[in-house]
Amino acid sequence: MSKLPQEIIVDILTYLPAKSLIKFKSVCRSWRSLISDPQFAKLHLKRAHEDENINRQRLLIAADPLYSVDFEAASDGDHGNTLVKLPYPNAESHNDSFAVGLFLGSCDGIVCILNEVDSVVLWNPSTRESKKLSGPRSSLHKDFSTGLGYDSSTDDYKMVIASSATASTRSDQIMVEVFTLKTNTWRTVQGSLPGITLGSCYGEFWNGALLWLGKQESDAAHHLDVIVPFDIEKEKFMEAVPLPNHFCTAVLSISGNCLCVFGKLQPSGSYFEAWLASEYGVKTTWRRLFAVPVDKLYLDCYSSEMWLTKKGEVLLDNHGCPGILTLYHPVEDAKKLLKVENDGDPFYESAIYTESLVSLC
């Protein structure tokens, strides 16, 4: 390897998983320096985003113990590498009692957590690096929407909290708090969403914007289900885009480079649909992937995380059946069940993340 040009060595290493690269830091000083370089972390992440043959997406389950689930491996039948136990973050001095209260966002391998003592913590499950944030002004126990995104113009990560409960008396006002990782500070931005109510959830980061679900007033008796985007760079809300159908419940997901919407159809909720879009905004074109009867799935309750695997299976983290993950293939009408051991609360939180070397420093 030492005789190879540096650029070839770098290229080869970007194909390797984060876990292996962390071990390779001990090979020699030059490799430690290379793998620790933020520019290498960007190349490694870029490779994961652009190469469809690389699998670095994981489902993080806040059970007891904490699990990282390789659902692509499960889809391929490789059950031996599906579930990996992880230690909890140690950003708190009392880390033995650390527990996840809520996931507030995920971007480029960094996960934002609200823990059991109401502290906001950023954590990279791959590197085990963690960082406790100073508290925002907003109460995270009121109606709020959160998310984590990357601002390419400043090469910085931003944590966003949007809440109408902490805004002014105007019904269309939204108070937005933004934390920037480089400055380690929060600041407040006033936003406006006339006629739109945001859902209480964390948003998906896609193409430079955080995307939240919301409801837009259409007339006195009806509301339109919409996606509400927040531009991470400009720190302002963009024009809402209607969902492709009317859902009782819906979940947003980013699969590959596409936006997915999964949901139960109104009014009875008897059918489950999945829709896909490759562009967002005025040119958004939705394509329905499938529609199946709900009774074919474990969908008695709300599923917080869904994902479309490379084989076309849908991952369902179904809180209506604690401890069970479902992989459902709509074309073959076949499903696989994955059991998650949990010694704590059976109704756990979960989030999708990417294995990466992105640093919190």
Side-chain angles (χ1 to χ4, degrees), residues 160-232:
V160 179
I161 301 173
S163 174
S164 58
T166 52
S168 66
T169 54
R170 285 179 53 188
S171 61
D172 64 344
Q173 285 293 302
I174 303 290
M175 190 181 84
V176 181
E177 290 191 78
V178 180
F179 176 89
T180 53
L181 186 57
K182 284 185 176 180
T183 63
N184 198 36
T185 56
W186 292 91
R187 67 178 182 284
T188 302
V189 179
Q190 288 296 333
S192 178
L193 288 173
I196 295 178
T197 303
L198 284 176
S200 298
C201 59
Y202 79 77
E204 296 288 345
F205 180 70
W206 189 55
N207 290 350
L210 281 171
L211 307 180
W212 289 300
L213 291 172
K215 291 189 177 294
Q216 186 173 39
E217 296 176 4
S218 57
D219 56 48
H222 298 88
H223 290 82
L224 185 67
D225 293 320
V226 294
I227 297 173
V228 183
F230 181 82
D231 189 304
I232 281 291

Side-chain angles (χ1 to χ4, degrees), residues 84-310:
V84 176
K85 294 180 181 179
L86 297 177
Y88 273 92
N90 61 357
E92 304 288 318
S93 58
H94 52 283
N95 60 80
D96 288 340
S97 63
F98 191 103
V100 175
L102 290 171
F103 285 116
L104 303 180
S106 175
C107 178
D108 291 351
I110 302 173
V111 180
C112 190
I113 298 168
L114 179 70
N115 72 6
E116 62 178 0
V117 292
D118 293 344
S119 294
V120 180
V121 177
L122 295 179
W123 181 45
N124 184 327
S126 302
T127 63
R128 310 292 195 265
E129 185 182 4
S130 58
K131 177 184 179 70
K132 179 182 175 183
L133 309 187
S134 58
R137 287 176 53 195
S138 300
S139 169
L140 293 175
H141 294 283
K142 297 180 179 180
D143 292 334
F144 62 89
S145 300
T146 64
L148 186 65
Y150 175 70
D151 184 347
S152 59
S153 68
T154 58
D155 187 27
D156 202 359
Y157 288 91
K158 295 180 178 179
M159 173 64 198
V160 179
I161 301 173
S163 174
S164 58
T166 52
S168 66
T169 54
R170 285 179 53 188
S171 61
D172 64 344
Q173 285 293 302
I174 303 290
M175 190 181 84
V176 181
E177 290 191 78
V178 180
F179 176 89
T180 53
L181 186 57
K182 284 185 176 180
T183 63
N184 198 36
T185 56
W186 292 91
R187 67 178 182 284
T188 302
V189 179
Q190 288 296 333
S192 178
L193 288 173
I196 295 178
T197 303
L198 284 176
S200 298
C201 59
Y202 79 77
E204 296 288 345
F205 180 70
W206 189 55
N207 290 350
L210 281 171
L211 307 180
W212 289 300
L213 291 172
K215 291 189 177 294
Q216 186 173 39
E217 296 176 4
S218 57
D219 56 48
H222 298 88
H223 290 82
L224 185 67
D225 293 320
V226 294
I227 297 173
V228 183
F230 181 82
D231 189 304
I232 281 291
E233 178 183 343
K234 297 178 181 178
E235 296 180 358
K236 68 177 185 179
F237 288 104
M238 302 160 63
E239 183 178 354
V241 173
L243 290 183
N245 216 330
H246 298 287
F247 299 110
C248 300
T249 59
V251 175
L252 290 180
S253 176
I254 310 300
S255 294
N257 294 317
C258 295
L259 175 65
C260 292
V261 174
F262 303 96
K264 291 183 185 178
L265 288 181
Q266 291 184 351
S268 63
S270 59
Y271 270 82
F272 174 76
E273 285 192 342
W275 293 75
L276 195 70
S278 56
E279 290 186 75
Y280 184 82
V282 294
K283 295 183 179 180
T284 301
T285 301
W286 294 100
R287 177 170 61 91
R288 190 171 71 173
L289 298 178
F290 60 83
V292 297
V294 169
D295 58 14
K296 289 182 176 291
L297 307 170
Y298 288 111
L299 282 174
D300 295 330
C301 292
Y302 179 72
S303 181
S304 64
E305 289 295 341
M306 298 187 184
W307 187 270
L308 191 65
T309 71
K310 295 174 183 178

Side-chain angles (χ1 to χ4, degrees), residues 51-94:
D51 194 327
E52 295 182 356
N53 295 317
I54 292 179
N55 166 33
R56 292 185 187 147
Q57 300 298 318
R58 301 290 184 269
L59 177 69
L60 184 62
I61 296 180
D64 185 12
L66 192 67
Y67 281 104
S68 175
V69 182
D70 185 345
F71 45 82
E72 293 288 357
S75 180
D76 290 335
D78 185 6
H79 299 295
N81 296 313
T82 298
L83 295 173
V84 176
K85 294 180 181 179
L86 297 177
Y88 273 92
N90 61 357
E92 304 288 318
S93 58
H94 52 283

